[in-house]
Amino acid sequence: MQSIALQPAVMKRMKATDGPGYAPGSVLQTKCLSVFYGEHKAVDQVSLSFPKHSVTALIGPSGCGKSTFLRALNRMNDDIDKCRAEGEIYYEGIDLHSSRVNLHEVRKQIGMVFQRPVPFAKSIFKNVASGPMRHGVKKQAELDEIVEDSLKKAALWDEVKDQLNTSALRLSGGQQQRLCIARALAMQPNVLLLDEPASALDPISTAKIEELIAQLKSDYTIVIVTHNMQQAARISDKTAYFYMGNVIEYGQTGQIFTNPRHEQTAHYINGHIG
């Protein structure tokens, strides 16, 4: 992982308007962002803005660049061999491709939850507390508060409060995914990236994840990749339709699903492209 000179405290002092790519009302923004795996261009000059306290769904067929784009937003692709990005990403007006940016701080403020829940082989408590502990939180009372607050925000506290010292691997799949969300929330991010968080879950667990997302957007900006059209329509405020690495259409979810401007979008929404 790259060592970056700009420290977290400096990031917090910078104003949103310091960045030339800042769009008023957006927390996160890309300008002409492209991502390459070797010579293959997986994402092609995508420019999107993500409004504060909103849910944006990224939809499109498999292999269209949605997850690659999502991982680029907090520079997770930096860890992939031969993967590189061109273009700009701004978080609160800060250019995330700047050599002065602290990459650990980026991933702290822009958290991510993956498709399949991957809890640590530790207790439920340590799963949630591990991040804050790595970042210097030592007092037990403070850790207790963080764990309880994060589990409550993830709608899991009532189910696990009496078994915090038991292995997280004993939880159901749906509970494990909410635990992974709690683990991300424990870092106190502003943005939450979700890569198909319910695709491996049963319908009841999926409904709980969707209810949770609806609650979380009052405090966080959420970007979610999903193959489920009904899910995107239910939970998102804005939707971006990806195809072959390009964004074909981006707008209010209601408009995208009921009156798309592009014929290609309509074909995908109606199941003619998949």
Side-chain angles (χ1 to χ4, degrees):
M1 187 175 290
Q2 187 178 1
S3 176
I4 310 295
L6 185 62
Q7 296 303 311
V10 178
M11 278 192 71
K12 292 174 182 177
R13 285 202 301 271
M14 294 178 72
K15 295 180 180 179
T17 51
D18 289 343
Y22 179 70
S26 68
V27 174
L28 197 60
Q29 181 180 20
T30 66
K31 295 182 69 179
C32 299
L33 180 66
S34 297
V35 183
F36 298 81
Y37 294 109
E39 296 302 313
H40 172 65
K41 184 185 285 189
V43 174
D44 189 7
Q45 303 234 350
V46 171
S47 298
L48 289 176
S49 296
F50 301 98
K52 188 175 184 179
H53 299 323
S54 66
V55 178
T56 300
L58 310 182
I59 65 172
S62 297
C64 68
K66 306 182 302 294
S67 292
T68 295
F69 175 79
L70 189 77
R71 290 194 301 268
L73 294 177
N74 70 348
R75 293 183 52 185
M76 288 292 291
N77 290 329
D78 288 23
D79 300 331
I80 300 175
D81 188 39
K82 296 183 180 180
C83 185
R84 62 184 173 87
E86 296 179 357
E88 299 165 280
I89 308 171
Y90 292 95
Y91 166 69
E92 297 285 9
I94 300 167
D95 180 4
L96 295 189
H97 282 153
S98 168
S99 60
R100 298 170 58 237
V101 165
N102 184 306
L103 191 52
H104 291 283
E105 185 70 8
V106 169
R107 294 177 183 174
K108 178 181 176 184
Q109 296 191 31
I110 307 175
M112 190 160 191
V113 176
F114 297 95
Q115 181 175 2
R116 292 188 177 276
V118 187
F120 303 141
K122 300 178 179 181
S123 69
I124 294 169
F125 184 94
K126 287 184 178 179
N127 262 266
V128 182
S130 58
M133 289 174 67
R134 285 198 307 271
H135 283 78
V137 179
K138 303 297 183 184
K139 294 181 179 179
Q140 188 63 44
E142 189 174 355
L143 289 170
D144 290 344
E145 183 177 352
I146 290 171
V147 169
E148 181 174 347
D149 182 62
S150 301
L151 288 171
K152 283 180 175 177
K153 286 181 177 177
L156 190 58
W157 174 254
D158 288 341
E159 298 172 37
V160 303
K161 62 183 179 182
D162 296 325
Q163 47 183 315
L164 295 180
N165 293 320
T166 61
S167 173
L169 301 179
R170 297 177 61 183
L171 297 174
S172 69
Q175 288 175 321
Q176 288 184 5
Q177 190 63 296
R178 281 182 285 150
L179 178 67
C180 291
I181 292 174
R183 195 167 65 195
L185 296 180
M187 299 305 297
Q188 299 181 327
N190 290 323
V191 178
L192 197 58
L193 309 178
L194 306 175
D195 191 0
E196 298 193 66
S199 64
L201 304 181
D202 61 84
I204 294 176
S205 296
T206 296
K208 288 184 177 180
I209 294 293
E210 291 183 8
E211 291 171 8
L212 175 57
I213 291 170
Q215 295 167 10
L216 289 175
K217 79 171 184 177
S218 62
D219 295 313
Y220 305 92
T221 298
I222 298 173
V223 187
I224 178 172
V225 167
T226 178
H227 276 102
N228 187 322
M229 294 299 95
Q230 291 77 20
Q231 182 176 82
R234 284 193 298 265
I235 67 173
S236 67
D237 303 292
K238 286 181 171 286
T239 296
Y241 168 52
F242 278 69
Y243 185 73
M244 299 292 288
N246 297 280
V247 171
I248 305 301
E249 188 165 351
Y250 173 60
Q252 296 293 328
T253 295
Q255 173 262 310
I256 294 287
F257 280 89
T258 61
N259 188 31
R261 292 186 296 270
H262 296 271
E263 183 178 2
Q264 194 172 357
T265 309
H267 283 325
Y268 181 71
I269 296 296
N270 294 325
H272 300 147
I273 301 174

